[in-house]
Amino acid sequence: MLFRSLARRRRRIVIYQAERQANNRIRRACRQLDSLLEGLWPGEISLAGSQPLAQQPNPETQLLAGEMDPPPLHNAASLPAGNHPERDLDRVTDRLQLFLYSARNLALLDPLTQLPNRRYFLNQVSQTAARKSLLGQQFGLLFVDVDKFKVINDSYGHAVGDAVLVHVCQRLRAILEMDDFIARWGGDELAVILDLSNVEDQSRESLARAARERAQRMVDSLIAPLHVGDLPIAVSLSIGITLVDPRDADLTAVIQRADVAMYQAKQIGRAHV
């Protein structure tokens, strides 16, 4: 009798500890999801104040989530048979952790090219400026436009146009350096943060020359036609460049400068920097 009583007590302790760990995961997930939702719809929803899942009447319907990276899922079959509240908590938490991971990807990545989207890029520009300010280094900002992309869409259809854009992104990613950052700005426009810290002469003239050479390599990478299936398609880029002094507090104006430079390149003709 005493042995069974101790066994039941140990079992209750194990269940309590598992529930407490699951509740802590869920509270952390709520805070993370709050942060994500606040960025998308400021002030409209909060989950961090919700009750722990173990105290909810219907946990499967609660909108909760978890970690940034795809979490390893628990194997429910490996748990002993019987009533296991901790197994239910883990199953729900894992399912909703995957939801949050997907939601974050939707919030930060372009679904077609899998590049960072405009929102992610703007955040990265701000972070890069802050980091480079501490180092006293300038960096390059490039706006890239696929020339006559509308003609490609109208001539071959949007499916081919989408495939062309994906191929362009793949070629550019292949020649960019490790510390560069490329994103899809929108439509057929891309944006690049160009790291120039490895340029030996850090004068503005030398940095401008290095940025132009790097941009020209991007243009030259598309001299050979792209192939969508058996269809060869000639593609060219127009690129606008600005150098960014990280002490410049008006990053909006910096981005506008790169955008204006890109349109100046397009007015000259195809494949210009």
Side-chain angles (χ1 to χ4, degrees), residues 51-65:
Q51 283 184 302
L53 191 60
Q55 300 173 24
Q56 295 285 359
N58 186 6
E60 292 281 357
T61 64
Q62 303 303 315
L63 184 62
L64 307 171

Side-chain angles (χ1 to χ4, degrees), residues 134-149:
L134 295 174
L135 299 172
Q137 294 175 344
Q138 299 182 71
F139 61 95
L141 196 64
L142 277 58
F143 264 39
V144 182
D145 184 81
V146 179
D147 294 325
K148 301 187 182 301
F149 187 69

Side-chain angles (χ1 to χ4, degrees), residues 114-127:
Q114 291 301 298
L115 291 179
N117 60 16
R118 181 186 303 204
R119 178 188 185 89
Y120 195 168
F121 179 80
L122 292 172
N123 181 63
Q124 190 69 19
V125 169
S126 178
Q127 291 186 18

Side-chain angles (χ1 to χ4, degrees), residues 24-202:
N24 287 337
R25 291 173 64 200
I26 292 167
R27 288 191 185 95
R28 184 168 62 251
C30 288
R31 289 193 295 269
Q32 292 173 338
L33 187 56
D34 270 350
S35 177
L36 173 64
L37 296 178
E38 180 64 25
L40 298 176
W41 305 287
E44 293 190 11
I45 187 168
S46 176
L47 296 175
S50 302
Q51 283 184 302
L53 191 60
Q55 300 173 24
Q56 295 285 359
N58 186 6
E60 292 281 357
T61 64
Q62 303 303 315
L63 184 62
L64 307 171
E67 307 296 337
M68 178 63 181
D69 296 324
L73 299 185
H74 293 277
N75 183 4
S78 66
L79 295 174
N83 293 324
H84 294 282
E86 71 277 18
R87 179 172 58 187
D88 295 333
L89 288 169
D90 282 334
R91 185 186 301 118
V92 174
T93 305
D94 288 337
R95 192 176 300 172
L96 295 171
Q97 282 179 325
L98 289 176
F99 160 78
L100 180 57
Y101 177 72
S102 299
R104 278 187 165 131
N105 278 346
L106 289 173
L108 298 176
L109 297 182
D110 171 61
L112 174 64
T113 63
Q114 291 301 298
L115 291 179
N117 60 16
R118 181 186 303 204
R119 178 188 185 89
Y120 195 168
F121 179 80
L122 292 172
N123 181 63
Q124 190 69 19
V125 169
S126 178
Q127 291 186 18
T128 301
R131 186 172 65 255
K132 294 296 186 181
S133 180
L134 295 174
L135 299 172
Q137 294 175 344
Q138 299 182 71
F139 61 95
L141 196 64
L142 277 58
F143 264 39
V144 182
D145 184 81
V146 179
D147 294 325
K148 301 187 182 301
F149 187 69
K150 185 177 185 301
V151 175
I152 295 174
N153 272 334
D154 292 345
S155 301
Y156 302 105
H158 289 277
V160 172
D162 286 349
V164 165
L165 194 58
V166 170
H167 282 302
V168 168
C169 293
Q170 290 173 344
R171 285 204 185 178
L172 295 183
R173 291 178 73 175
I175 66 170
L176 289 172
E177 297 185 5
M178 183 182 301
D179 293 328
D180 296 335
F181 185 91
I182 184 171
R184 187 181 183 188
W185 183 254
D188 61 342
E189 294 183 5
L190 308 170
V192 178
I193 299 172
L194 207 60
D195 183 77
L196 300 171
S197 59
N198 60 350
V199 178
E200 185 174 350
D201 180 1
Q202 287 286 306

